[in-house]
Structure formats: structure tokens, C-alpha cells
């Protein structure tokens, strides 16, 4: 398990990203404890299947060797050094999208008018700075949902950095549950909730999306793997919502999801497509 201290953000450099070079150690197996990790340089642990990726702000090979000796279920695969921008695939610059202003904690918060809603977002090691086409399409879909239904409760399944949960909270949604299976993503989203002072509106949990789809909510937002999305669409809880946003779909997946949804007492009100690759749906149920 990883605690909040593992996602520390060394914000001692005003106006610049606190994450510089990343030293990444790729291990086979999962950690049973973080006790033997050099805490002063440890940033976080990304777990994927039966692999662990440990991130440090300084070289930590001696610490990794000690970790391998104390936790024999682990084995060393490789190590990498890259810049934070290389890891994220792009630099994170503040930007506006519709009524939202997305800024990092190390950016100056510049408000462009009284109706601008600022989202403070520290992606940490999690992919999701808000620049991906599906994220921006989801933000457009969120605005559409509020124009039509003004949902008072929402589920954000596959929350990542928490950006969609933050967005619906900023638009006035009072009860929001954000879920991610990846523990580091859930930890990152929870930190972003605190950065935005939205703890009274957004709760973040780590777990399976299908375990939470039955929770009562007006709006469900799902940006998850296709196999998981199929389970969500087939569940009773999905049918009990007022409206939905489904995203992260490739072309063939989107075609099948569209067919599955149209078998329900539901309709797709609007869809977004980028380069014929990424698909996002906003729809409503006929209750």
C-alpha cells in the first residue's frame, strides 16, 4: 500500500514544475511494504499487473538492492532515467477549456473573467494533464449534462487524476464519488481534491469500477477499459442513472458500445470523435 506521503510534491521552486528528472526502477512482483525505501527521494509506486515501477527524484540503486534483499518476491528487471515531460509525453501548461481553467499548483492562477472555474491539477506520475482529446471531450460532455439536467450527484469511474470529478464539483454537483483501481491514481486524485478544497463534495476510493456502478447517482462518467465498460453497461446500476458519459473508446469498441446502449431504454444524445480514433458518448436514459 502507498500512503499520501509517497506522492509528495517538492514545490520549492516557484512557477516551475517540482518534478525534474525521474529515476525509475522496474521490478517484477508487488511490494508488501514501503518501509525499506529511501523516503526522502521516493515519489511513488505505479503497480501494473504483477509489476512495480518505483519512482525517485535521485538515483536509488543501493536502496533498490536493499529492497530486493528484504522482499524476495521482487526481482529487478531494468531502470530508466527520463525527464518528467518525457514521462508525461508533454509539458503541462495552464490552459482554458470552456468555463474551466486548468492549472498546476506551481502555476500562477490567472482568472479570465468572473465565470471561470479553476481546477488545480497535479498529475504527479499519473497520465492525465487534461490535454488528451478524450479528456477535453469529456469536459464538453460534462457541460452538456449540466445544461440539460444539472446533476446533483455523480460517479467518476476510472478517475485518474480526478479531473472530471473536480469539474462536476466546480459546476455545483454536491455528491461525487471518484473511483480508480490503481492505488497511485486514487492517491493522486485524493490529493487534487484537497488542493481544490473540495473534500465536502468529492470522495475518492480505490477499487473496481463495477463494484460501485450500483451507487445512486444522476450522472455516471466512465473512462475505463473496454472490457470493464461492457460490464458497466450490462449492470442494473447503469440503467438507473439519468445520464452518462462513456469515453476512451477506439473505433471498433465505440461501435459495439453504441449497439449495446441502444438496446437499453437509453439514447446517445451527442458523440465526439478525434481523428477517427477516440470516441466519447453523452447519453440519457428514458425513465
Amino acid at each position: 500500500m502507498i500512503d499520501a506521503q509517497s506522492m509528495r510534491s517538492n514545490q520549492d521552486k516557484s512557477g516551475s514544475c517540482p518534478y525534474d528528472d525521474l529515476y525509475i526502477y522496474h521490478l517484477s512482483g508487488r511490494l508488501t511494504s514501503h518501509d525499506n525505501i529511501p523516503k526522502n527521494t521516493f515519489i511513488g509506486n505505479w503497480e501494473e499487473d504483477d509489476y512495480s515501477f518505483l519512482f525517485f527524484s535521485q538515483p536509488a540503486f543501493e536502496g533498490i538492492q536493499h529492497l530486493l534483499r528484504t522482499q524476495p518476491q521482487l526481482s529487478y528487471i531494468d531502470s530508466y532515467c527520463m525527464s518528467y515531460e518525457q514521462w508525461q509525453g508533454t509539458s503541462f501548461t495552464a490552459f482554458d477549456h470552456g468555463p474551466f481553467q486548468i492549472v498546476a499548483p506551481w502555476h500562477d492562477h490567472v482568472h479570465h473573467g468572473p465565470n471561470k472555474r479553476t481546477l488545480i491539477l497535479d498529475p504527479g506520475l499519473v497520465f492525465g494533464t487534461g490535454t488528451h482529446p478524450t479528456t477535453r471531450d469529456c469536459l464538453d460532455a460534462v457541460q452538456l449534462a449540466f445544461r440539460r439536467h444539472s446533476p446533483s450527484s455523480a460517479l467518476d469511474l476510472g478517475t485518474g487524476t480526478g479531473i472530471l470529478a473536480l469539474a462536476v464539483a466546480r459546476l455545483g454537483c454536491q455528491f461525487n464519488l471518484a473511483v480508480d483501481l490503481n492505488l497511485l491514481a486514487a492517491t493522486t486524485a485524493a490529493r487534487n481534491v484537497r488542493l481544490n478544497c473540495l473534500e465536502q463534495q468529492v470522495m475518492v476510493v480505490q477499487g473496481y469500477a463495477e463494484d460501485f456502478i450500483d451507487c445512486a447517482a444522476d450522472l455516471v462518467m466512465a473512462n475505463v477499459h473496454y472490457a470493464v465498460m461492457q460490464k458497466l453497461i450490462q449492470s442494473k446500476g447503469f440503467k438507473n442513472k439519468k445520464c452518462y458519459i462513456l469515453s476512451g473508446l477506439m473505433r471498433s469498441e465505440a461501435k459495439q458500445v453504441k449497439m449495446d446502449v441502444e438496446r437499453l431504454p437509453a439514447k446517445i444524445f451527442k458523440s465526439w470523435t478525434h481523428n477517427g480514433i477516440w470516441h466519447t458518448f453523452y447519453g440519457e436514459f428514458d425513465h
Side-chain angles (χ1 to χ4, degrees), residues 134-274:
T134 59
T135 304
R136 299 198 180 210
D137 290 342
C138 283
L139 290 174
D140 289 337
V142 162
Q143 296 171 66
L144 180 57
F146 275 81
R147 287 196 297 269
R148 293 180 58 80
H149 291 285
S150 297
S152 62
S153 55
L155 284 176
D156 181 12
L157 305 179
T159 192
T161 58
I163 185 171
L164 297 182
L166 299 174
V168 296
R170 280 281 184 255
L171 290 176
C173 196
Q174 292 300 310
F175 306 99
N176 306 283
L177 181 62
V179 181
D180 206 289
L181 180 59
N182 187 285
L183 186 56
L184 186 54
T187 304
T188 301
R191 181 173 187 274
N192 284 323
V193 170
R194 295 192 297 272
L195 284 172
N196 287 273
C197 301
L198 289 172
E199 296 96 325
Q200 299 303 311
Q201 291 175 251
V202 184
M203 175 182 290
V204 180
V205 297
Q206 184 260 335
Y208 291 93
E210 52 266 41
D211 290 343
F212 293 89
I213 187 62
D214 290 337
C215 293
D218 295 332
L219 169 66
V220 59
M221 304 174 288
N223 190 351
V224 293
H225 291 302
Y226 173 60
V228 177
M229 189 173 292
Q230 284 184 308
K231 294 179 182 178
L232 299 180
I233 293 172
Q234 295 167 6
S235 69
K236 182 179 178 181
F238 182 71
K239 304 177 184 70
N240 291 335
K241 306 299 184 285
K242 290 183 180 179
C243 48
Y244 59 86
I245 298 170
L246 306 177
S247 190
L249 296 164
M250 306 291 280
R251 182 168 53 195
S252 60
E253 298 169 344
K255 182 179 179 180
Q256 184 61 51
V257 166
K258 184 175 185 292
M259 293 171 58
D260 293 341
V261 168
E262 289 177 341
R263 294 191 185 102
L264 305 174
K267 60 183 178 182
I268 294 176
F269 188 82
K270 186 172 181 178
S271 61
W272 293 260
T273 304
H274 273 276

Side-chain angles (χ1 to χ4, degrees), residues 92-106:
F92 185 8
T93 57
F95 67 94
D96 289 1
H97 188 83
F100 303 110
Q101 180 190 54
I102 292 87
V103 299
W106 53 87

